[in-house]
Amino acid sequence: TKLAARIKRIVARGEMVDDNIVADIIQARLTDHDWNYGFILDGFPRNSTQAAFFLENYDIDAVINIEMPDEIVTHRVLSRRLCQDCGLDYNLIFHRPEKENICDVCGGQLIARDDDTAAAIQARIVDFHEKTRPVLEIFAGKELIVNIDGNQVIELVQADIRFKLNLG
């Protein structure tokens, strides 16, 4: 769609999508009501305006905050690869393909995302500290934050999340 193309250009520049566009997308998606057993939003809300919109319109059980040093975030993001044919995600640290730069599923070429450059990542990290960190304070005031150490293996991160959310 035109909106998707516009969003892709914004993200490729390492910028955040406008709050009104994000609110419209979230509201349209959640209007489907196919989430009777709950849902998880990744990367939303990213600022105080989005947090206020979300708190005013939806009941929230928890906000999962996966904590990780900026240097490790940068290293992991720079290690991301996508199959240009089927879109499968790889990470050269945790999920390497059997053949270098070749998708295990369809044989397509693995490429870095356009917005996975050191400069774009640094801009996103600065944006996170300036705009998203205050969101955590809003949710912490409502006792909704579940802090998770993201600097451990995936299985332990998942186990920690399940334990802190009483999911057994």
Side-chain angles (χ1 to χ4, degrees):
T1 66
K2 288 182 181 182
L3 177 60
R6 187 168 147 215
I7 291 170
K8 186 176 181 179
R9 286 191 304 275
I10 292 168
V11 171
R13 291 192 306 261
E15 298 173 6
M16 296 293 186
V17 178
D18 178 81
D19 292 336
N20 294 325
I21 294 172
V22 172
D24 288 346
I25 291 169
I26 296 293
Q27 204 158 26
R29 178 60 186 91
L30 294 180
T31 299
D32 286 347
H33 288 287
D34 58 350
W35 43 267
N36 292 333
Y37 297 104
F39 57 90
I40 296 175
L41 298 174
D42 180 13
F44 175 84
R46 291 187 186 253
N47 61 45
S48 299
T49 303
Q50 292 175 4
F53 158 79
F54 201 57
L55 285 168
E56 289 169 7
N57 292 285
Y58 302 97
D59 292 326
I60 302 168
D61 295 322
V63 173
I64 302 168
N65 177 39
I66 301 177
E67 299 174 314
M68 189 175 305
D70 295 345
E71 310 80 54
I72 294 175
V73 170
T74 301
H75 180 64
R76 288 184 181 184
V77 172
L78 287 174
S79 299
R80 286 196 297 201
R81 297 296 181 274
L82 295 175
C83 175
Q84 65 182 7
D85 293 338
C86 72
L88 187 64
D89 267 318
Y90 286 84
N91 187 289
L92 302 180
I93 302 167
F94 301 110
H95 179 215
R96 300 181 72 83
E98 289 180 24
K99 291 183 183 177
E100 188 173 341
N101 295 320
I102 303 295
C103 178
D104 296 338
V105 175
C106 74
Q109 186 73 29
L110 300 184
I111 57 172
R113 286 177 27 174
D114 290 341
D115 61 333
D116 282 352
T117 65
I121 294 164
Q122 183 59 37
R124 291 198 304 260
I125 287 173
V126 167
D127 210 47
F128 170 81
H129 287 293
E130 290 176 358
K131 296 177 184 170
T132 306
R133 272 268 175 234
V135 169
L136 296 175
E137 295 169 16
I138 292 169
F139 289 118
K142 298 190 176 294
E143 299 181 0
L144 293 168
I145 295 286
V146 174
N147 289 307
I148 305 294
D149 177 6
N151 198 19
Q152 50 187 342
V153 295
I154 294 167
E155 294 79 13
L156 290 177
V157 170
Q158 182 185 29
D160 201 13
I161 291 169
R162 295 181 67 78
F163 174 75
K164 290 183 177 178
L165 293 178
N166 296 315
L167 297 174

